[in-house]
Amino acid sequence: MKPCIYCNRSRSVVRLVLILLSCTITAHAQTATQRILLAISKASHTLAMVNPENLQVIAQIPVGSDPHEVIASADGKTAYVSIYGGGTLHTLNVIDLVAQKPLPDIDTQPLLGPHGLTFVNGTLWFTAEGSKCVGRYNPANQQFDWVMGTGQDRTHMIYVTPNGKEVYTTNVASGTVSVLSETMFTPFTGAPAHKDWTQTIIPTAKGAEGMDVSPNGEELWTASSENGNIYIIHLTTKKAAAIIDAKIAGANRLKFTPDGKMVFISSLKTGYLAIYDANTHKEIKRLALGRGAAGILMDAVQQQAFVACSADDYIAVIDLKKLAVIQHLDVGGLPDGLA
């Protein structure tokens, strides 16, 4: 297989994005509310809808040419898929999860390379890597209602606080984390104050991509694929708090467990999953999942984690209590990123 022109990796990477949500779907003329796992395969260009309890595929819906991430609306009726193109494309696919069919796309240009996605306060937030910025789309009026530049290279993953007043991004090539904060600004003496945003840039290391925020909102963790270190940022002070010499070559994604006690870090290079104690910062265990591990999704209800193993064409299902692989799931070739 030829090297991927977008990811600059030895294999074409399929971004498989998984989300657990509650949504209403119609099957066999009956309507039922259930939890659904969403999985994007870049190889087959499909969005799979999977029952997370029995891991059966319910439906597969076509998506665009280079899908990377997916997120669902708060009501579970709509999914949004970023069509990335290494920072060159400008499309968000929209999927009706009830009717299980594509809806008209959203054209993001001039914001290029949509990648990281999240849905907060009824709006869709996304990184636009090719334009070095973050954007926000309001589905209610079908308008982009906010955009802010980071000035950083490869603004890639995104996290938005529940109140929508702070945005965190990893800037992979610049080796930084951006903290975008809503504030009140007075342009000059006597002028009325108005809402504005400020940016704090926190150095990490090149290759720092996967990130997550602790459930208590106090810490942001990110890991570098280049030096294998984990970087911990205190979000109150907006300063680096600790660096862990984790030696996780090819670190790709990072997720806290639902209880906040452990942190999972996947390696796309080695296929290992490193598990760290969030309090002591000590390694608990490393699991060999295959030849390349990428996206991670936590399932608090089933007490399991899904880890996409790109090079092995499956998702490893991990018991969070036993810290062991209990099953493999096939939703299409070369799975990767999670949301």
Side-chain angles (χ1 to χ4, degrees), residues 3-332:
C4 173
I5 60 172
Y6 299 132
C7 302
N8 193 25
R9 293 172 179 161
S10 61
R11 295 186 58 163
S12 264
V13 173
V14 173
R15 290 280 175 182
L16 170 70
V17 187
L18 308 172
I19 295 187
L20 289 171
L21 60 144
S22 295
C23 73
T24 301
I25 61 173
T26 302
H28 306 298
Q30 293 181 343
T31 301
T33 298
Q34 66 182 90
R35 300 168 66 245
I36 298 295
L37 181 70
L38 300 181
I40 290 180
S41 170
K42 194 174 179 182
S44 60
H45 300 164
T46 57
L47 170 68
M49 300 176 66
V50 182
N51 184 326
E53 296 181 4
N54 60 23
L55 302 181
Q56 297 299 307
V57 176
I58 298 166
Q60 289 183 304
I61 304 163
V63 294
S65 61
D66 188 36
H68 275 234
E69 305 291 335
V70 64
I71 197 70
S73 57
D75 61 10
K77 295 180 179 179
T78 309
Y80 300 91
V81 178
S82 56
I83 307 302
Y84 170 59
T88 64
L89 301 179
H90 46 83
T91 299
L92 295 171
N93 289 161
V94 185
I95 307 296
D96 185 329
L97 294 174
V98 180
Q100 300 174 8
K101 67 178 184 179
L103 296 174
D105 294 338
I106 300 169
D107 189 343
T108 66
Q109 64 179 339
L111 306 183
L112 303 178
H115 186 271
L117 300 171
T118 190
F119 199 90
V120 176
N121 290 339
T123 54
L124 177 67
W125 305 67
F126 62 97
T127 59
E129 183 180 300
S131 299
K132 303 183 181 184
C133 68
V134 177
R136 185 176 66 198
Y137 177 80
N138 189 339
N141 58 20
Q142 300 182 348
Q143 298 289 324
F144 295 97
D145 61 10
W146 177 83
V147 64
M148 181 171 179
T150 64
Q152 302 294 289
D153 296 328
R154 293 200 65 205
T155 298
H156 200 65
M157 304 303 292
I158 187 171
Y159 181 97
V160 177
T161 56
N163 61 10
K165 294 186 180 297
E166 285 202 328
V167 180
Y168 313 130
T169 72
T170 47
N171 308 303
V172 184
S174 289
T176 61
V177 166
S178 288
V179 179
L180 310 180
S181 305
E182 183 184 293
T183 185
M184 295 301 292
F185 175 69
T186 303
F188 53 87
T189 302
H194 65 269
K195 186 187 297 183
D196 202 349
W197 288 74
T198 61
Q199 177 177 214
T200 303
I201 298 175
I202 304 167
T204 53
K206 287 189 176 182
E209 179 175 342
M211 71 164 174
D212 198 12
V213 172
S214 59
N216 62 15
E218 293 180 358
E219 293 182 343
L220 182 151
W221 287 43
T222 184
S224 168
S225 61
E226 294 195 13
N227 65 16
N229 289 347
I230 299 170
Y231 296 84
I232 302 174
I233 295 168
H234 196 282
L235 292 174
T236 300
T237 62
K238 297 180 177 60
K239 293 182 179 180
I243 300 174
I244 303 172
D245 182 14
K247 297 180 174 62
I248 307 173
N252 186 258
R253 291 290 183 267
L254 181 152
K255 285 291 180 182
F256 277 87
T257 52
D259 60 10
K261 294 181 179 180
M262 295 181 289
V263 180
F264 285 20
I265 308 101
S266 61
S267 168
L268 191 60
K269 183 176 181 179
T270 67
Y272 278 92
L273 178 73
I275 302 174
Y276 271 74
D277 186 303
N279 183 41
T280 66
H281 301 172
K282 301 296 184 182
E283 184 175 311
I284 298 171
K285 192 173 186 178
R286 287 203 183 196
L287 293 176
L289 303 185
R291 293 173 294 168
I296 308 169
L297 175 70
M298 295 294 172
D299 178 3
V301 175
Q302 296 290 114
Q303 282 296 298
Q304 60 191 9
F306 298 95
V307 181
C309 299
S310 304
D312 304 279
D313 295 337
Y314 57 67
I315 301 165
V317 185
I318 298 170
D319 187 306
L320 291 180
K321 294 180 180 179
K322 299 177 181 179
L323 298 182
V325 178
I326 56 175
Q327 197 168 346
H328 289 159
L329 168 62
D330 180 8
V331 295

